[in-house]
Each structure stands twice: as C-alpha cells, then as structure tokens.
Amino acid sequence: MSHPSSPRADLVAGGDAAVRGLVDRLVALALTGLPRMRDGDGFAFTLRGVPDGAGGWRTEPSGRSVRYAAITALGVLALPPEARAAALGGEPVEDLIARLVALLDESGPAAVTSLGDVALIAWAAAAARHDGLDRALKRLAEADPPGTGRAVFTVDAAWVLSALAAARGQAETSGHFERARARLLAGAAASGLFSHQVGGTGLVPRYRAHVGCFADQVYPIQALARAGDQEAVAAADAAARRIVAAQGSGGQWWWHYDARTGGVVEEFPVYSVHQHAMAPMALLDLARAGGTAHLDPIRRGLRWMTEPAETDVPLIHDDLGVTWRKTARSDPRKAVRGARAVSTGVRAGWRLGGLDRVFPPTAVDRECRPYELGWLLFAWLEGA
C-alpha cells in the first residue's frame, strides 16, 4: 500500500529528504504494528520485546486497554477510509468506536470509570461523527460535573476540552466546553506550564505538587489550540515556548518540569512517542491555530529516533512494527525522579547532580504500546 499523504510531514521536513523519509517510515511501521496489537475485540496494553533465541527480538502482547483502543481509533480515523480497516486487522473503525461507546453503559469490573477514558471515547465518537456521540457526551457530562474545588488530572482535563472541541457543531455542549476551557486556562502556572492536576488539590503528594510531566504540557497545548480562541492559543503558545526552550541538545523532549519556573526537574526517561508523535501533534495543532510554528524543534525531536544520544541500540524496528518505548535510567524504583521532585520542591533548581553519575540514562525499555502508534498516525495524518 502506498503511503498516505502527509502535508504536515512536508511542512516539517522543509525539503529535508531524510526527515520526510523518516515520517513515511514511521507511518508504515504503525500500519504494520497496529494489527499485531489486537487482542480479541480490543487492543493489548503493550507488546513486550522478548529475545527470539537467534540474537533478535519478537514481541508478546500483555494486558488490555480501553484508553489505548480509543487513541488508536483516533489515529486510524486520520487514515484514508480505504486504509482504516487494514490498520485494525480487518475491522471497520466505526465498529470499534461503537463498542467503546457501549462500554460507557457497563457497570462492575467492565465499567469505564476514568474521566480521561470517557473523554477519549467521546473524542473518537466526535471525530467519526458517530451515532453514539450523544451518549458519549452525556456520559462525559456525568463524569465531569460542574462545581468548584474538584481536582482533575491535567491530562484528563485536556482530553475533555479536546473532545468537546471536536463535538462542536454536532451537539450542544457550550456550557461544558466553557467550563473545561476555563479550568484548563486557570491551571497554567505563571511560567506557562502545567503541574499534574488542575482545578483543586489532593491528587498528588505535596512534595511533587509543583511537578508536571511532558504529557501535562503537550495535551493542554493541543486542547487549547483546538479550542481556538485568542486567549486559549496564547496560553498554548506560552507552554510551547517553555518546552521548546528546555529541549535537549540531542532533540530530547524531557520528562519532568517545574511548573512554577519552567525549569527541568528530571530529564529521563525520554519516550519515543514524545519524539515522533506527541510533540509534533501538539506543536502542529498550535501552528494550525495561528500560534508559533516550532518546526525546527520538531525536526530535532524526530532525528533523535535514529540518533539517540543515550544509546546505540536501534529504537525503530520496521519488521516488528514497533519503536522501543524509551531510554531511561537504570533506576527501577524511580528514586531519581522522587529525589529531584523533593529537592526542587525545597528549592527551585536544586537538582542533586551526583545522581546522574550513579544512575546514567543507558537503559532501553523494549516494549511498544498501541497509543504510541495511534498518536503517530494522528500527528502526521489528521486533517490531511
């Protein structure tokens, strides 16, 4: 099958054939990998790399994830209609979305209880103009009632706004949209960045209340850009400028930030999905909304996929249909992240530099999750 058209890739490449070719390669990889991630009528939580006994690797599925299935649906909707079923192992994307919407009525162990999961299902239904959209929006309103002082995870709050933005023109959601927009805008700190929760307190320990991860930045940038008004786009622009200013010399999008100052709390892990999908997705949505076009940082982030500074282990495996998930410290208890959250909480910028020597970032996490490939398709093909 020929590569789907990607005007976004043409824009980012700017004539750089290597960058353009890399995007084509990654899109082809996603089309190979996603059908292998099917698990019955849904999607696995992850594919784990397992030595194949001959010096190479094979993958084994593990777990199930409603959230990842919804993100996959969003990515597959960005494909040309004739390519969608193949990416889902032969299933029409409308059938996948119908099953996801039906899950919103389930109770007991099968119930969808996460606000973020409900928002993603509603977003997919809106993007598909699916018959189940009204039900999904009703469930989203129930999961996200009005009121003050209720803390919400920042990523969930961003997905709520993106879902409601996608539903505009299909349903009356203006009241919920305005509340979701105001909540996310109010969550931006003076630096322009976001911590891990908005709208209240209590979801995260006090020692790390100032910390926001990369996802806590890119999903609000995307959602505010999709909200589209001048104030929202300006807030998205402010957050984008901070993460771009902090980008590593090798194109790395770092992991933990101090929302108060905009500084980096902890660099690692560096996730492949941030490099090839999530940063491009958010920054290109921002440019489309009239914000700053950070094309060179997107290019640098992409190049990290083939030239990671931390390892000589290949991260892209076309034959397996995966990109290895991240480069990280050999720090299974995440002690560095915790220590740096505590130290920067005590004094902004205090980083305990000796930890870099004790825990160098040389480990490679050999797994790949469906949402990584779903966002990859969405980043480069949505709107094409």
Side-chain angles (χ1 to χ4, degrees):
M1 185 178 68
S2 61
H3 294 302
S5 173
S6 178
R8 285 183 157 194
D10 293 332
L11 174 67
V12 169
D16 186 324
V19 170
R20 187 63 179 82
L22 177 57
V23 174
D24 281 345
R25 180 185 178 189
L26 290 166
V27 168
L29 178 149
L31 297 178
T32 297
L34 279 174
R36 300 176 182 180
M37 295 179 171
R38 289 301 299 259
D39 180 20
D41 61 359
F43 276 83
F45 177 77
T46 192
L47 290 185
R48 300 192 187 280
V50 179
D52 65 4
W57 296 87
R58 59 184 177 84
T59 58
E60 292 182 350
S62 177
R64 296 251 307 193
S65 176
V66 170
R67 172 171 297 194
Y68 294 172
I71 294 173
T72 297
L74 282 166
V76 168
L77 284 168
L79 289 166
E82 65 274 12
R84 294 172 183 171
L88 293 175
E91 180 182 33
V93 67
E94 294 80 8
D95 291 358
L96 173 59
I97 294 171
R99 274 203 314 281
L100 290 170
V101 172
L103 287 175
L104 298 177
D105 292 324
E106 293 287 338
S107 58
V112 179
T113 58
S114 163
L115 175 60
D117 291 1
V118 177
L120 286 166
I121 292 170
W123 187 358
R129 306 187 75 84
H130 197 274
D131 290 345
L133 176 59
D134 285 344
R135 173 61 193 134
L137 290 173
K138 181 176 183 293
R139 181 70 182 87
L140 182 59
E142 293 168 352
D144 188 33
T148 58
R150 177 174 174 266
V152 174
F153 288 116
T154 299
V155 167
D156 291 354
W159 285 340
V160 169
L161 182 56
S162 288
L164 294 169
R168 284 182 296 192
Q170 300 182 65
E172 174 48 53
T173 60
S174 58
H176 195 180
F177 174 88
E178 288 302 328
R179 291 195 304 274
R181 173 189 170 278
R183 175 175 59 195
L184 199 56
L185 284 171
S191 71
L193 294 186
F194 294 81
S195 63
H196 200 51
Q197 62 188 358
V198 297
T201 60
L203 289 179
V204 298
R206 289 183 62 187
Y207 78 88
R208 59 155 297 173
H210 61 293
V211 176
C213 68
F214 187 72
D216 293 324
Q217 317 314 320
V218 294
Y219 291 125
I221 291 169
Q222 178 183 41
L224 292 166
R226 286 173 174 256
D229 64 276
Q230 186 174 358
E231 183 183 14
V233 172
D237 230 342
R241 284 196 299 271
R242 285 291 189 176
I243 62 170
V244 165
Q247 188 180 27
S249 60
Q252 303 97 328
W253 297 108
W254 300 130
W255 180 222
H256 278 175
Y257 302 82
D258 188 330
R260 303 165 305 181
T261 67
V264 176
V265 171
E266 163 58 2
E267 293 89 346
F268 295 95
V270 176
Y271 287 87
S272 292
V273 66
H274 297 170
Q275 305 292 133
H276 65 58
M278 286 168 55
M281 175 176 74
L283 296 177
L284 289 169
D285 274 1
L286 174 61
R288 182 168 60 184
T292 305
H294 296 285
L295 301 183
D296 188 57
I298 295 172
R299 284 191 287 269
R300 293 201 305 269
L302 279 169
R303 292 188 188 111
W304 181 90
M305 291 297 304
T306 56
E307 302 172 7
E310 300 79 22
T311 181
D312 58 3
V313 172
L315 300 178
I316 303 174
H317 292 266
D318 308 84
D319 55 332
L320 298 176
V322 301
T323 60
W324 291 145
R325 181 164 166 75
K326 63 180 183 281
T327 61
R329 301 188 189 279
S330 299
D331 176 20
R333 295 183 181 275
K334 303 179 182 178
V336 175
R337 283 187 245 179
R340 286 188 166 161
V342 171
S343 66
T344 54
V346 172
R347 187 174 75 237
W350 184 23
R351 287 179 37 80
L352 303 176
L355 294 172
D356 293 325
R357 295 188 297 275
V358 178
F359 299 104
T362 55
V364 174
D365 183 0
R366 289 180 171 88
E367 64 175 291
C368 185
R369 300 182 181 182
Y371 87 95
E372 301 172 27
L373 305 185
W375 280 147
L376 193 161
L377 296 177
F378 191 90
W380 295 106
L381 302 178
E382 196 265 344

